[in-house]
Amino acid sequence: VEYQKQVLKNSSRLADELNKRDYQLVSGGTDNHLVLVDLKSSRSIDGARVERVLEMACIATNKNTIPGDRSALNPGGIRMGTPALTSRGLVEEDFAKVAEFFDRAVAIAVDLKNTEEGKKLKGFRQMCAVGPSVHPDLVALRKEVSDFACQFPTVGFEESEMEYEGEYNVDFVA
């Protein structure tokens, strides 16, 4: 019961922080464990591009259709849930940082979209094939996300099990 209450508090805080940063949420906020961000209205970008940049920053989300979308392959939204991060021990204040990471990733995606190569989704994907080095701010964001995530234990793994070729699995799931 306490865990579910924390999931809802975290989701509410994430929604509030995104609203403060002028993101439109499909329902205006949240009453559950999910937040659905309307990126088309908020930043004139699609969920597919933002999902890819977030992925390169070690933040797992899902592109998601929003009202008015015509294609599920190129939807206008991003869906983020709070249970996985709550399970790792994040509380409301930590979700303010998650919202900041999200906002920075969206700004990077918009910047990349505004290049000649990034105008079409196919070109955007090809451009991003090099990984985080596609944008200097993305390299820095990825490191900050990884450093932040390492503060929280991954559920079900011992630290020694997480080590892989000298690096740790630090993907953040939002």
Side-chain angles (χ1 to χ4, degrees), residues 44-45 49 108-115 118-119 124 127:
S44 299
I45 193 165
R49 284 179 175 89
I108 292 166
V110 168
D111 197 32
L112 292 172
K113 179 190 173 203
N114 289 334
T115 65
K119 289 189 188 323
F124 186 91
M127 183 173 47

Side-chain angles (χ1 to χ4, degrees), residues 122-140:
K122 183 178 178 182
F124 186 91
R125 286 186 181 139
Q126 289 172 340
M127 183 173 47
C128 290
V130 300
S133 65
V134 69
H135 196 285
D137 292 345
L138 184 53
V139 173

Side-chain angles (χ1 to χ4, degrees), residues 6-41:
Q6 190 62 53
V7 166
L8 295 175
K9 285 187 222 175
N10 289 345
S11 187
S12 179
R13 179 65 183 269
L14 179 60
D16 290 345
E17 291 295 326
L18 292 170
N19 279 327
K20 285 179 192 174
R21 290 172 168 81
D22 295 324
Y23 285 96
Q24 302 299 313
L25 305 181
V26 170
S27 63
T30 186
D31 291 328
N32 58 32
H33 64 290
L34 294 173
V35 174
L36 180 54
V37 183
D38 178 348
L39 292 165
K40 281 187 181 177
S41 297

